[in-house]
Amino acid sequence: NLIAIGQYFQPFFQAIADSMAEDKSIGFRLTAHFVRMMFIAIVLLSLYVIAKIFQTVIGTEIVSEQEIVIVEEIPRSRAIKEGIVEGEEELSPKEAKAHLARIDREAAEAAAKEKASTRRSARDKK
């Protein structure tokens, strides 16, 4: 494979070697090499632009989504305290989630009431 690649690019490398071997000025050699490098850059840029257009026509990138579930083990005492486990009766995951949501909602309502009462007391002091 490597030999085939070398043979494919042989004319390009041969042209570089020929330009070095000829009795031309350094400025001409530099200009010739610069033109060759720009030609290669333009070809690569064209391939990139064509690939982007092709990707736009075909569709967007393929995205693989993964769902990660984290299971947290908590001590029974904390579960009883938070109301997930009541005595020896365990709540189903759906019931436990609803219970925790209710606790969070009650805490948010209590915080809102506390904030409102703080505003009232600050307004009354004025």
Side-chain angles (χ1 to χ4, degrees):
N1 267 346
L2 194 56
I3 294 172
I5 293 172
Q7 289 175 349
Y8 180 78
F9 288 108
Q10 182 184 9
F12 176 73
F13 294 126
Q14 189 64 39
I16 292 176
D18 290 344
S19 70
M20 291 293 209
E22 295 176 6
D23 294 330
K24 296 183 181 172
S25 69
I26 293 176
F28 180 79
R29 289 183 201 166
L30 290 175
T31 305
H33 289 306
F34 180 75
V35 168
R36 287 186 184 112
M37 288 173 46
M38 287 296 106
F39 179 75
I40 292 171
I42 290 170
V43 168
L44 292 175
L45 184 65
S46 300
L47 287 174
Y48 178 77
V49 168
I50 291 169
K52 281 295 187 181
I53 292 170
F54 187 69
Q55 183 180 10
T56 304
V57 170
I58 297 299
T60 59
E61 296 178 6
I62 298 173
V63 178
S64 175
E65 294 183 10
Q66 295 180 351
E67 185 174 323
I68 299 173
V69 178
I70 300 174
V71 177
E72 179 184 5
E73 294 185 18
I74 59 173
R76 188 170 188 81
S77 60
R78 181 175 165 206
I80 292 172
K81 180 180 175 185
E82 292 181 1
I84 298 172
V85 177
E86 297 176 358
E88 291 300 316
E89 177 187 342
E90 294 184 9
L91 300 176
S92 70
K94 188 175 182 180
E95 292 171 333
K97 188 175 181 181
H99 184 73
L100 288 175
R102 184 174 47 84
I103 290 172
D104 289 341
R105 188 173 55 249
E106 289 171 356
E109 289 173 358
K113 286 180 184 178
E114 178 67 30
K115 190 174 182 180
S117 66
T118 306
R119 285 182 187 164
R120 273 190 235 118
S121 62
R123 187 178 51 202
D124 291 342
K125 287 180 182 178
K126 289 181 184 179

